């Protein structure tokens, strides 16, 4: 029997994460995602995904120092970023840069390479952005942690604490999400005993597709419309009555609340009063959920992570062409965790196809 897209087929065993779509749970290494965003940093949760345990003080400090050390790009890589055509999209730039960053020899996937790939991704994005805008590249800061440094390189100034907290929460929530298309691509590549840079290059190429790593630009358009409407409830009621889809609501995997959206909302509730776009997103959600229950009873339509991701990107004034690259800058942690896991107990992926063409006449 052919199962198109391998939907529902279990192709690997993993201890990294688990998605329970029926009950709306996302678990990293045995821990609910909501708990991880409350008191832990991007670096701590990354270490958890890579190693399966929390770092102690020394291990966390060592990881932070390694990330800072690998933020600087080699000169040839900066020159490459400058030389690529201006019309080349950011995901293609990331794919090309990561491919070029790999070592000449084919090394076995390692934790140190996972750190290097994670560290360099924001720098590649920021370097390319500054070149396209015709301004000097803001060098990485050794004084700032991972997410804060990313915002600093993009904007040239230390970000507000509320913006940094919101983006860090989003990036923790998007570190990992099971055997999605890009993660599968990374595992298939490394299953051939190829190197980790090739595996991440494959994953970036997969993430580039609009069916997987599409940006929440339509949600931003919805929030813009709500901000200008003067009457959020009236706007949403009219959209529902016209049969329009409310962008940012519903998810094909989660049949109830998206746990990532709930975790992101929990943090935003603490800081929404400091940012008009985060506050607007909360107002839109309240009105939309109530009206959906009134006008579409029996359907569980709640916000997904893209809804609040859009609010965050809008609040930190991030251009839409940076949404998917930023998603990639976090997901590289999950990809490399899966690459390391695959390499530990490897079997090459070799599915079969069902031939439906002509046969020779006997």
């Amino acid at each position: 029997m052919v199962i198109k897209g391998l939907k529902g087929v279990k192709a690997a065993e993993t201890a990294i994460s688990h998605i329970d779509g029926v009950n709306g749970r996302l678990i990293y290494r045995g821990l609910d995602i909501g708990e991880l965003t409350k008191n832990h940093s991007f670096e701590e949760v990354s270490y958890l995904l890579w190693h399966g345990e929390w770092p102690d003080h020394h291990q966390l400090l060592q990881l932070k120092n390694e990330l800072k050390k690998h933020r600087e790009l080699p000169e040839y890589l900066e020159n490459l970023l400058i030389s690529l055509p201006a019309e080349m999209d950011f995901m293609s730039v990331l794919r090309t840069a990561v491919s070029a960053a790999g070592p000449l020899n084919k090394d076995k996937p390692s934790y140190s390479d996972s750190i290097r790939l994670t560290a360099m991704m924001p720098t590649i994005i920021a370097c390319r952005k500054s070149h396209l805008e015709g301004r000097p590249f803001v060098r990485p800061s050794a004084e700032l942690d991972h997410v804060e440094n990313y915002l600093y390189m993009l904007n040239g100034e230390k970000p507000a604490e509320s913006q940094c907290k919101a983006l860090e929460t989003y990036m923790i929530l998007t570190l990992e999400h099971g055997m999605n298309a890009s993660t599968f691509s990374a595992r298939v590549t490394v299953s051939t005993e190829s190197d980790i840079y090739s595996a991440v290059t494959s994953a970036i190429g997969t993430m580039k597709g609009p069916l997987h790593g599409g940006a929440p630009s339509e949600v931003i358009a919805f929030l813009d419309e709500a901000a200008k409407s003067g009457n959020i409830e009236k706007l949403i009621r009219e959209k529902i009555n016209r049969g329009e889809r409310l962008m940012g609501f519903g998810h094909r995997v989660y049949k109830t609340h998206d746990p990532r959206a709930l975790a992101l909302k929990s943090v935003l509730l603490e800081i929404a009063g400091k940012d008009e776009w985060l506050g607007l997103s909360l107002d839109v959600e309240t009105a939309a959920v109530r009206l959906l229950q009134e006008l579409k009873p029996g359907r569980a339509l709640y916000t997904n992570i893209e809804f609040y991701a859009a609010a965050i990107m809008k609040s930190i004034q991030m251009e839409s062409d940076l949404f998917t690259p930023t998603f990639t800058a976090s997901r590289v942690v999950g990809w490399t965790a899966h690459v390391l896991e695959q390499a530990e107990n490897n079997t090459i992926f070799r599915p079969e196809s069902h031939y439906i063409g002509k046969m020779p006449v006997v």
Side-chain angles (χ1 to χ4, degrees):
M1 180 177 66
V2 175
I3 302 177
K4 291 186 176 182
L6 302 180
K7 184 176 181 179
V9 175
K10 291 179 171 58
E13 292 183 335
T14 184
I16 298 171
S17 73
H18 173 63
I19 302 168
D20 181 351
V22 174
N23 295 304
R25 299 181 71 191
L26 173 60
I27 296 167
Y28 286 2
R29 297 286 191 180
L31 300 170
D32 275 304
I33 191 66
E35 296 301 312
L36 301 179
T37 57
K38 292 178 181 177
N39 301 304
H40 297 287
S41 66
F42 177 94
E43 291 87 345
E44 287 175 307
V45 182
S46 296
Y47 188 98
L48 173 70
L49 287 175
W50 282 323
H51 295 281
E53 60 185 14
W54 291 115
D56 60 27
H57 176 74
H58 173 73
Q59 291 165 332
L60 180 59
L61 183 61
Q62 187 176 40
L63 171 57
K64 288 185 175 184
N65 288 337
E66 285 294 304
L67 285 168
K68 291 174 181 177
K69 182 176 75 173
H70 289 296
R71 285 174 183 168
E72 291 286 354
L73 302 177
E75 184 178 358
Y76 82 88
L77 202 52
E78 284 196 29
N79 291 336
L80 173 64
L81 293 172
I82 292 171
S83 67
L84 293 174
E87 60 272 18
M88 194 171 183
D89 65 89
F90 269 97
M91 291 302 290
S92 295
V93 169
L94 274 175
R95 181 196 61 210
T96 303
V98 169
S99 178
L104 296 177
N105 58 318
K106 187 183 71 173
D107 293 328
K108 184 177 180 180
S110 69
Y111 171 52
S112 60
D113 278 325
S114 301
I115 294 174
R116 181 175 181 240
L117 281 160
T118 303
M120 69 190 299
M121 205 75 76
T123 311
I124 292 171
I125 297 168
C127 179
R128 176 67 172 178
K129 179 175 183 286
S130 64
H131 169 65
L132 292 178
E133 294 176 350
R135 59 176 177 79
F137 170 43
V138 178
R139 314 299 309 187
S141 170
E143 305 302 317
L144 304 177
D145 285 340
H146 188 75
V147 176
E148 189 176 17
N149 174 69
Y150 179 37
L151 286 172
Y152 166 73
M153 288 191 296
L154 288 178
N155 302 318
E157 57 185 24
K158 189 174 180 179
E161 182 180 350
S162 61
Q163 295 179 342
C164 188
K165 176 63 176 175
L167 183 59
E168 181 170 43
T169 301
Y170 167 73
M171 293 185 75
I172 290 173
L173 293 169
T174 53
L175 286 172
E176 161 64 8
H177 204 238
M179 189 68 84
N180 53 78
S182 56
T183 298
F184 182 55
S185 179
R187 292 191 76 134
V188 169
T189 300
V190 81
S191 79
T192 68
E193 296 190 354
S194 187
D195 61 279
I196 194 170
Y197 292 86
S198 295
V200 171
T201 301
S202 295
I204 293 172
T206 308
M207 178 75 88
K208 184 174 182 288
L211 292 184
H212 183 24
S217 55
E218 291 180 320
V219 180
I220 284 194
F222 177 34
L223 290 176
D224 277 330
E225 193 177 0
K228 297 173 184 176
S229 69
N231 189 326
I232 294 173
E233 181 168 335
K234 180 182 177 183
L235 171 71
I236 295 173
R237 185 180 291 276
E238 289 174 349
K239 281 183 173 292
I240 296 174
N241 287 335
R242 287 195 300 265
E244 293 183 24
R245 180 187 170 195
L246 297 186
M247 305 312 298
F249 289 79
H251 193 279
R252 68 173 186 153
V253 173
Y254 297 109
K255 305 309 177 186
T256 179
H257 290 278
D258 182 339
R260 300 167 300 170
L262 290 178
L264 196 51
K265 178 182 177 180
S266 177
V267 172
L268 297 184
L269 284 171
E270 301 174 9
I271 61 178
K274 304 175 185 178
D275 186 281
E276 62 175 316
W277 281 102
L278 301 183
L280 172 67
S281 67
L282 293 170
D283 292 340
V284 169
E285 181 197 25
T286 299
V289 169
R290 177 166 46 80
L291 289 170
L292 284 168
Q293 290 174 347
E294 173 191 332
L295 301 174
K296 292 183 178 291
R299 295 187 62 185
L301 295 173
Y302 302 98
T303 50
N304 56 44
I305 192 171
E306 282 195 351
F307 180 83
Y308 282 115
I312 287 173
M313 301 310 183
K314 188 77 175 179
S315 73
I316 61 179
Q317 300 179 335
M318 183 176 285
E319 295 88 344
S320 60
D321 60 353
L322 294 184
F323 293 172
T324 306
T326 299
F327 183 9
T328 303
S330 62
R331 184 56 61 82
V332 67
V333 174
W335 291 336
T336 52
H338 277 273
V339 166
L340 295 175
E341 185 179 63
Q342 180 70 32
E344 285 179 3
N345 185 22
N346 185 51
T347 299
I348 188 172
F349 285 91
R350 182 59 174 89
E352 296 182 1
S353 59
H354 177 64
Y355 180 66
I356 59 172
K358 295 180 179 180
M359 295 295 289
V361 177
V362 178

